[in-house]
Structure formats: C-alpha cells, structure tokens
C-alpha cells in the first residue's frame, strides 16, 4: 500500500493542512494551525476547582478559565505540587495532569494524572506501573521484549512496548526507555518550582504524530511539504525518532502549487459536504447532530438491471467501505447510526456486518461496529481524540 503525507496551506480555508493519501485516495485531513492544534499530550500544573463527589470526579483548571474534566485513575498516585490532605483530593490542590481528549462542542477537555511519554519503540506511563505490549507483536517478539521490559520492573513507572520494537535491538530499546525516564524525571522535578497553569511539557504536534503514531508499523513512502518551517521541523523530528524516514521527505519547490497538484481544496470541500456519491450511483447522506452522526444509504442513480437482495448487498458493501473512509476523513467520533438499504435475508445482514467490521478495523483510531438494532439501524462507535474536520476548519478555530 502506498502512503503519502502532504503538508501545505489552503488559501480557500486559510488553514495549514496535513493530509494522508493511501494508494492515491485521501483518508485523513487535519488542521495544523496553532489556533486549532490539539492539546492532547500536553502536561500542565492544574488546580482543582470543583469536586463532583457523587461520581468521584473533579474539574481541574489548566489555564486561566480553561476547565477540564478529571476522573481519578484506578491505579497509581497523582503527582501533587500542593496537597491539603494525604487521603483525598481537595479543592485548591495542584497536580500534574495531561490532556487525553480535546474539548468537543459543549464537552470539556479531559485530563488524566497518569502521564505518558512516547518514543519510537516504547511508551512510558507514570501512574500505571505495569509492563504491557502491543497485541500485534508475535509470540517470539513478546518473549524477547518481556526480558528487556523486566529490567525496569522496580521503577516508579510502567512501559508499553510498541509494535515497532520488534525491529529494534535490546540496546536501542533500553536507550529509549532511559531517555523517556530522564524526560519524566525532569518534568516532575521542574514542576515542583512552578506555579499553577504552567505548560510543563508539550505533546508531539498532530502532524508529527501522524508519522510517529499512525505509521507505527506502516512505512510512509513519501512526505512532501512546500512549507520550509514544517520541512525543517519534520527533518529534526525524524533525525531523532524515525531516521529511517529521512530519505522520503521532500521539499516541494515547483511553481505549480502543491495544493493544486493534489486537488486539496476540492477534496476538503467534498469532505465537508453532506452528500457523498458512490461509483454505483448510490449515495450517502451524512448529518451530524449534538448527540450523534446519522448516515443514510440511498440507491440513488443506481441503474443496474437487478434489484434483488444480491444487488442491495453489493450497494451496502460499497457504502460500508466509503463509510469507514468518511469516518476517518471527517474525524467523526462518538455514536454513529447507519441506515443501510433494507435486506430481508439474515445471511445478507450478517455478511454486511462482518464486512463493515473489517473495513472499520483499518482505522488507526479505535472504531467498533456495535450491533444492528431491531429497526435495522447499525450502531458504530469511534473514539474521540481530536475535533472533527468541520470544527477544525471553522472560522473560530
């Protein structure tokens, strides 16, 4: 599979965009502008402003007036800067918290006291001291890597061994753990002398996270940008984190604009449209409400001679493939209800559900086909990590 990452400016939307293409077809779009960049991964000295005792949660302020939702972790102790009681969380306490979810519409951003630091091969966790591994690792790799992880069992942090660690030597993994350990200790030490609301650690920007996270076990074939600042930052990042990718980054200098070369503004416009046409002549209607996203599958201009069960299954499968792509493309999250074309056969419904599950499994963000309701609607859930594409491209962002 061919993978290309493109970073460029859209004059039409006045935003810097990061776009992912797989086999020439766009699969992801995100805004890179500082004003709408994700806060996920950032670590702040937060102050407890309000306790919600009935659900054992709290609201923590990470900047002047910026309140976040906090639910105490089931494991580990938060790292307090100031604490009034050794036994309970109190209003006015200050502690280190990391943003795990961005604010979404009326919902506040979510923070955690379990800090994580990510590198190419491992993730270090401050609260959870368990050693765990990617499920994609083979049994032999797990056996080898578990011995490496065991070297850090008595430390005050945990480790998650990433898929890419299969291609690393023991020494390389140990070096990365020690580097993350130094960063973790430095963040904690420096924070003890700072005031509330200070950003003490900045997470990896979204466009760099695309390289480190999304392509953890898939090598991009090309990274191209016409922005010198992004080019330099990506090169610096790759030199440290993914040196094997240095030969695939290109600075685009051709007079013909990169935006026009890829037809980016047109792709973005389509990704914001409520109607999506399929090759068969059928189409999807995508509408997002406060509570959920609703997708309706219509046979539309389909002009096939057959109108039976086999044809409806074929259209529904085509729709399922496109729905999986649109969820990623628009960064739709939360609950999604899909109204496929009705089929009377239980076998056809089961085949469609299996097919849809395989399509959404390709999404790097956790996406689950829950079930088909009695009314024939298919429920899908997708983990919310950052703002939807529509929100990212809004004027206020």
């Amino acid at each position: 599979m061919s993978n290309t990452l493109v970073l460029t400016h859209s004059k039409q939307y006045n935003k810097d965009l990061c776009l992912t293409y797989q086999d020439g077809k766009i699969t992801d779009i995100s805004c890179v502008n500082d004003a709408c960049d994700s806060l996920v991964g950032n670590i702040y000295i937060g102050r407890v402003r309000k306790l919600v005792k009935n659900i054992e949660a709290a609201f923590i302020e990470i900047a002047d007036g910026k309140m976040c939702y906090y639910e105490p972790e089931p494991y580990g102790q938060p790292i307090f800067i100031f604490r009034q009681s050794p036994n309970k969380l109190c209003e006015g306490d200050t502690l280190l918290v990391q943003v795990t979810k961005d604010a979404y519409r009326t919902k506040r951003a979510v923070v955690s006291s379990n800090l994580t630091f990510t590198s190419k091969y491992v993730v270090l966790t401050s609260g959870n001291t368990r050693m765990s591994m990617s499920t994609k690792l083979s049994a032999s790799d797990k056996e080898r890597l578990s011995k490496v992880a065991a070297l850090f069992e008595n430390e005050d942090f945990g480790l998650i061994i990433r898929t890419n660690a299969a291609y690393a030597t023991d020494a390389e993994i140990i070096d990365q753990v020690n580097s993350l350990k130094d960063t973790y200790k430095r963040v904690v030490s420096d924070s003890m002398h700072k005031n509330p609301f200070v950003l003490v650690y900045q997470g990896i920007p979204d466009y760099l996270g695309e390289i480190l996270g999304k392509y953890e076990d898939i090598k991009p074939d090309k990274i191209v940008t016409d922005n010198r600042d992004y080019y330099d930052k990506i090169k610096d990042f790759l030199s440290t984190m993914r040196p094997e990718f240095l030969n695939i980054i290109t600075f685009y200098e051709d007079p013909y604009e990169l935006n026009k070369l890829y037809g980016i503004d047109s792709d973005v416009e389509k990704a914001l449209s409520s109607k999506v046409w399929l090759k068969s002549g059928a189409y999807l209607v995508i509408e997002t409400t406060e509570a959920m996203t609703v997708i309706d599958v219509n046979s539309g201009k389909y002009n096939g001679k057959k109108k039976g069960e086999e044809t409806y299954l074929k259209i529904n499968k085509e729709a399922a493939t496109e729905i999986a792509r649109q969820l990623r493309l628009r960064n739709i999250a939360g609950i999604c209800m899909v109204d496929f074309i009705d089929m009377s056969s239980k076998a056809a419904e089961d085949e469609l559900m299996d097919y849809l599950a395989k399509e959404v499994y390709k999404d790097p963000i956790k996406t689950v086909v829950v079930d088909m309701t009695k009314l024939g609607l298919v429920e899908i859930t997708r983990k919310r990590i950052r703002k939807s594409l529509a929100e990212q491209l809004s004027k206020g962002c």
Side-chain angles (χ1 to χ4, degrees):
M1 181 180 288
S2 172
N3 295 283
T4 302
L5 199 68
V6 179
L7 286 103
T8 190
H9 183 75
S10 167
K11 293 179 181 178
Q12 180 174 333
Y13 296 96
N14 193 29
K15 305 283 185 182
D16 290 346
L17 302 176
C18 177
L19 308 100
T20 304
Y21 292 84
Q22 290 184 353
D23 293 333
K25 197 168 187 178
I26 191 167
T27 56
D28 295 86
I29 307 173
S30 59
C31 175
V32 189
N33 295 55
D34 290 340
C36 61
D37 225 7
S38 171
L39 297 181
V40 172
N42 288 358
I43 299 175
Y44 298 85
I45 299 176
R47 174 174 283 158
V48 180
R49 286 299 189 191
K50 183 180 180 181
L51 298 175
V52 190
K53 295 181 180 180
N54 58 327
I55 58 173
E56 296 184 354
F59 289 101
I60 293 181
E61 190 175 14
I62 62 171
D64 192 17
K66 192 172 188 64
M67 213 71 68
C68 301
Y69 177 77
Y70 169 74
E71 189 171 348
E73 303 295 337
Y75 41 75
Q77 275 290 329
I79 300 170
F80 285 92
I81 309 302
F82 169 73
R83 189 175 193 180
Q84 301 173 67
S85 169
N87 302 316
K88 61 181 181 178
L89 191 68
C90 301
E91 292 181 7
D93 286 352
T94 57
L95 66 159
L96 290 180
V97 290
Q98 187 169 39
V99 181
T100 57
K101 289 183 182 179
D102 282 317
Y104 177 75
R105 296 186 181 176
T106 59
K107 295 183 178 180
R108 300 184 186 278
V110 178
V111 293
S112 169
S113 56
N114 180 22
L115 314 180
T116 63
F117 300 85
T118 303
S119 70
K120 179 180 176 181
Y121 302 128
V122 294
V123 177
L124 182 148
T125 60
S126 71
N128 183 357
T129 57
R130 293 178 301 177
M131 303 291 171
S132 57
M133 299 194 185
S134 166
T135 56
K136 295 180 181 179
L137 289 166
S138 67
S140 60
D141 285 331
K142 287 180 179 179
E143 183 179 358
R144 174 178 73 90
L145 295 169
S146 64
K147 295 176 182 177
V148 179
L151 299 174
F152 301 93
E153 279 185 339
N154 297 322
E155 300 278 3
D156 62 345
F157 56 80
L159 294 175
I160 301 171
I161 307 298
R162 307 186 76 196
T163 308
N164 238 24
Y167 310 104
T169 65
D170 293 359
E172 287 174 322
I173 296 170
I174 291 170
D175 284 346
Q176 285 203 359
V177 174
N178 285 327
S179 177
L180 292 180
K181 176 182 174 180
D182 290 343
T183 300
Y184 164 47
K185 298 296 184 184
R186 185 177 65 254
V187 167
V188 174
S189 176
D190 291 350
S191 300
M192 297 301 164
H193 309 288
K194 294 181 179 178
N195 296 322
F197 311 153
V198 171
L199 171 63
V200 294
Y201 176 83
Q202 187 161 18
I204 298 171
D206 281 348
Y207 66 94
L208 295 180
E210 299 285 316
I211 304 167
L212 180 65
K214 186 170 297 181
Y215 293 117
E216 179 190 348
D217 53 0
I218 302 176
K219 179 179 178 179
D221 304 286
K222 189 176 183 180
I223 302 171
V224 57
T225 180
D226 53 3
N227 182 302
R228 177 61 70 177
D229 185 45
Y230 290 140
Y231 176 78
D232 291 340
K233 288 180 179 178
I234 292 172
K235 283 203 74 174
D236 288 344
F237 171 79
L238 292 178
S239 296
T240 304
M241 303 294 288
R242 305 300 292 267
E244 72 273 25
F245 288 176
L246 278 170
N247 65 326
I248 63 172
I249 181 170
T250 302
F251 181 67
Y252 185 84
E253 298 181 273
D254 195 285
Y256 191 75
E257 293 181 6
L258 184 61
N259 187 307
K260 293 181 180 179
L261 178 66
Y262 279 86
I264 286 171
D265 284 341
S266 175
D267 282 337
V268 174
E269 188 174 354
K270 290 177 182 177
L272 296 174
S273 173
S274 61
K275 182 177 284 189
V276 180
W277 287 99
L278 307 178
K279 287 184 179 179
S280 65
Y283 64 90
L284 311 176
V285 176
I286 304 175
E287 299 288 350
T288 299
T289 68
E290 185 70 26
M292 67 181 72
T293 296
V294 179
I295 301 178
D296 188 34
V297 181
N298 293 272
S299 57
K301 298 178 182 179
Y302 174 77
N303 55 9
K305 295 180 181 179
K306 295 182 179 180
K307 294 289 184 180
E309 196 85 338
E310 186 178 338
T311 298
Y312 295 142
L313 176 58
K314 183 178 179 180
I315 294 174
N316 280 336
K317 279 187 172 182
E318 182 187 19
T321 298
E322 187 60 29
I323 287 168
R325 188 176 83 94
Q326 290 294 326
L327 291 177
R328 293 177 60 180
L329 189 61
R330 299 168 187 243
N331 198 36
I332 294 171
I335 299 172
C336 179
M337 301 299 293
V338 184
D339 187 8
F340 285 102
I341 297 173
D342 289 339
M343 300 182 295
S344 57
S345 166
K346 180 65 167 56
E349 288 182 350
D350 290 342
E351 185 176 341
L352 173 62
M353 293 292 282
D354 288 342
Y355 184 84
L356 178 61
K358 290 177 182 177
E359 290 297 301
V360 302
Y361 181 75
K362 300 172 186 177
D363 196 328
I365 294 176
K366 186 177 181 180
T367 307
V368 178
V369 178
V370 180
D371 203 356
M372 180 179 286
T373 70
K374 292 181 179 179
L375 296 176
L377 300 175
V378 176
E379 182 181 356
I380 303 172
T381 61
R382 188 169 186 268
K383 186 177 180 180
R384 180 173 288 113
I385 293 180
R386 65 186 183 210
K387 295 177 181 178
S388 68
L389 177 62
E391 286 181 300
Q392 290 182 59
L393 294 175
S394 66
K395 291 183 179 180
C397 182

